[in-house]
Amino acid sequence: MILPKTHRLAPEQVAEITAIVAEFGCSIQPIIGAVRTIYAIVGDERDELMINRLEGLPFVERIDRIQSPFKLMDRRSDLASHRITIGGVTLGEDLLVIAGQCTIDPKNPSYFLETAAAVKEAGAHVLRGGVWKPRTNPYAFQGDGKSMEILMEASRLTGLPVDAEVMDEQQVEVALDAGVHMLQVGARNALNYSLLRTIGRAVAKRDTVVLLKRSLHMGTLNEFISAAEYIAAFGNPNVILCPRGTSPALDGYRNHPDESITPLLKEKTWAPVVIDPSHSVGKASYVPACALAAVAYGADGLCIEAHVSPSHGIGDDPKQALTPSALAETITQARQIWSLRHSIIGGV
Ligand code: PEP
Ligand code: MN
């Protein structure tokens, strides 16, 4: 829909927009209102170049798109009935819990193995563990490829599928070869389209699930869903959206908590939403409240950092990991809110 700057366009201006849209197989239909005439684009209006050319015209105020830019991730797309199952949970049917350490310490593997058993006992369905870490400070611990063996050992011992972040093509390959069940795209790489394409291709013929974090500075919901569309377009529709707080931070929190975007995402996309309260608020004592709020907002799951002994952890664990007992309590309460929500409003 083309909204002009004036009440209506002059005939030569209509001729100009008609010529542009015709190049893309579309036509123009004026809709004459009492005070203003607007111009519908008839045809497939998703071509970015056509929209850019129309938006560049000096007499056009803005273009409102009716068609969704997401062919696959749109909630009205053919994929909308697609269901993602991991760790025995089909998203949307039960609350999914991903939990584990921010970072695996390769010098102390027993902590991770104990954490793995403890998060399973607490009720988690997927074990998370950072092998390679995206650190803001180049001198901070960057992770260690050796931790992959520890992660997979923990998976074998507990029977839990595992989630690990990958930051480049080589890590994608190593993680998939090792049998990682869920690839995490972190906040810093959420707009790395080359990585998104690589992951989409690499997991195309597998059941691998992708946990796509929301970028730190991600402006719009469309930008977030478009990143998921990249992965789906290259072959794997098993994409879960994971809001994890954005910048700038809300005073006192690590980031600006964004679990409240859950209902907005659900209006646009069928993709499940799993909230990460740990990076959102950044302090263990605030994590449970954020997790419960997320479920109240309609989240399909939670991704929570947990450690058997947070003070002995590395990476984010000393400040934001929950102990196993706090995790168990949070999961129990989150399930109660989930049930209440589903019994009152049917999970909408
Ligand atoms: C993490 O999950 O440990 C992590 C680094 O997350 P994010 O990409 O959201 O910062
Ligand atoms: Mn972390």
Side-chain angles (χ1 to χ4, degrees), residues 102 128 133-134 165 184-188 213-214 244 254 276 279 305 316:
C102 169
R128 60 154 287 154
K133 295 306 298 180
E165 177 169 356
Q184 182 172 311
V185 180
R188 293 158 188 81
K213 298 275 193 106
R214 188 179 188 207
R244 43 78 74 208
R254 177 173 174 171
D276 169 352
H279 293 84
E305 289 186 345
D316 293 330

Side-chain angles (χ1 to χ4, degrees), residues 91-165:
L91 280 122
E93 291 177 8
D94 210 348
L95 184 74
L96 179 79
V97 180
I98 305 165
Q101 289 175 201
C102 169
T103 308
I104 300 171
D105 181 354
K107 295 202 186 94
N108 291 296
S110 56
Y111 277 127
F112 189 72
L113 300 179
E114 283 170 35
T115 295
V119 302
K120 182 180 183 182
E121 173 76 24
H125 312 98
V126 178
L127 173 66
R128 60 154 287 154
V131 174
W132 304 284
K133 295 306 298 180
R135 303 306 300 277
T136 308
N137 183 338
Y139 307 111
F141 179 65
Q142 307 285 312
D144 188 327
K146 283 184 226 132
S147 300
M148 184 55 79
E149 280 170 33
I150 304 167
L151 180 68
M152 296 319 294
E153 172 71 0
S155 179
R156 276 189 291 279
L157 290 172
T158 56
L160 292 179
V162 287
D163 159 43
E165 177 169 356

Side-chain angles (χ1 to χ4, degrees), residues 323-345:
T323 59
S325 61
L327 178 68
E329 198 181 342
T330 303
I331 294 175
T332 303
Q333 292 172 354
R335 289 215 175 103
Q336 286 167 356
I337 295 178
W338 166 276
S339 304
L340 189 66
R341 202 171 189 284
H342 281 250
S343 64
I344 297 172
I345 47 176

